[in-house]
Amino acid sequence: MSMRTRETAALGALGAILAITIIWWALALWPLADSAPAWLLRTRVVCFGSTSSGLPDAGGWLALIGEPLLLLGTLLTVWGGAVVHALRVLGRSGTGRSALSAASLLLLALTAAATVRVAGATGRPAPAAMLPDPAYPRLDRPAPPLDLVDQDGAPVTLERFRGRSVVVAFVYGHCQTVCPLVVEDVLRARRLLGDRAPAALFVTLDPWRDTPARLPSLAAQWRLEGEAFVAGGSIPAVEAALDRWSVSRARDQRTGEVTHATVVYLVDRQGRIAFAVTGGAQAIAALAMRLP
């Protein structure tokens, strides 16, 4: 393949990534009326885990941000030199500079629109199509054991919650992307349920930094109150608990950052996992209402 052909293909791929990203973000963030088709609402729930505000849940944001970056990184890895050279050549002509300027202005306008959309989003009752279907699968399997400690230094086992339902989520303190959203979804679900709210248990994915001594500051950071706890312990104890719960994760040994799933589990009063959900306060609350 000639250099010119590679440059043309690289520019085409870059343009395709830009177009796909715009469509992807519009599908996730474009405000919808209550009369929007049910298939569109369900598509948002499946692809982005849309919450009651109409914004994506933790996993949805990860997809929105991560997938375009992954595509761009792949392109630069394969054809990085061709992309850079093609952009330089394009910038030498008036038409090329105009095209680059138009693309830059479009990105700025879309970023500003997305910022306004996120800043102006408010919680409202979710349309029925955004709530779990009545046939949403119930897992009904024994919850694996936990043997950790909470922010007060008290032992944390599932037997401690026997006789009441509990929401179990896996997060960590240094996470600045999906974890705060997961925590907020669970806490907002508890507020929606009022007196019927289950207990909440946030198990750390990072026992190297979320040590038992740091758990009180995490509880304060996340504003945990009442029957809401953060659990940790020694590295072997936490790792064993995560393995028993089959929590998929990968820790970067250099930075300490953890890539992980965002599944939230609802455990019933008998200590059995009833449901698993990827997030969204309304969905968590709706499923919690189905617990006996």
Side-chain angles (χ1 to χ4, degrees), residues 37-39 41-42 45 126-132:
W39 66 265
L41 294 172
R42 290 190 183 277
V45 172
M130 294 179 65
L131 297 177

Side-chain angles (χ1 to χ4, degrees), residues 131-189:
L131 297 177
D133 189 272
Y136 193 89
R138 184 182 176 99
L139 301 178
D140 196 25
R141 64 172 187 252
L146 291 169
D147 187 11
L148 304 172
V149 295
D150 68 14
Q151 65 264 33
D152 298 318
V156 173
T157 64
L158 285 180
E159 286 71 22
R160 173 176 171 177
F161 303 101
R162 190 61 60 91
R164 66 169 307 176
S165 56
V166 57
V167 177
V168 181
F170 300 90
V171 293
Y172 69 104
H174 283 77
C175 177
Q176 299 299 316
T177 52
V178 298
C179 296
L181 298 174
V182 171
V183 172
E184 177 56 29
D185 278 346
V186 172
L187 296 182
R188 190 151 59 89

Side-chain angles (χ1 to χ4, degrees), residues 34-55:
D34 289 340
S35 58
W39 66 265
L40 182 55
L41 294 172
R42 290 190 183 277
T43 298
R44 279 192 166 184
V45 172
V46 171
C47 293
F48 309 108
S50 295
T51 63
S52 61
S53 65
L55 297 180

Side-chain angles (χ1 to χ4, degrees), residues 51-53 122-123 164 167 180-200 202 219 221-228 280-282 284-286 288-289:
T51 63
S52 61
S53 65
T122 56
R164 66 169 307 176
V167 177
L181 298 174
V182 171
V183 172
E184 177 56 29
D185 278 346
V186 172
L187 296 182
R188 190 151 59 89
R190 296 186 76 243
R191 292 194 293 270
L192 289 171
L193 292 167
D195 293 340
R196 297 194 57 180
F202 300 101
Q221 173 185 324
W222 292 335
R223 300 179 182 177
L224 304 187
E225 299 177 347
E227 292 291 295
Q282 293 279 353
I284 294 170
M289 290 287 288

Side-chain angles (χ1 to χ4, degrees), residues 50-117:
S50 295
T51 63
S52 61
S53 65
L55 297 180
D57 66 3
W61 281 114
L62 186 62
L64 280 175
I65 297 169
E67 292 192 16
L69 290 178
L70 178 61
L71 291 173
L72 183 60
T74 302
L75 175 62
L76 293 178
T77 299
V78 177
W79 276 343
V83 171
V84 172
H85 189 265
L87 290 175
R88 286 176 179 170
V89 172
L90 198 61
R92 292 174 189 156
S93 67
T95 302
R97 286 193 297 272
S98 297
L100 292 175
S101 297
S104 299
L105 289 174
L106 177 61
L107 283 175
L108 287 174
L110 292 174
T111 301
T115 302
V116 170
R117 171 73 178 94

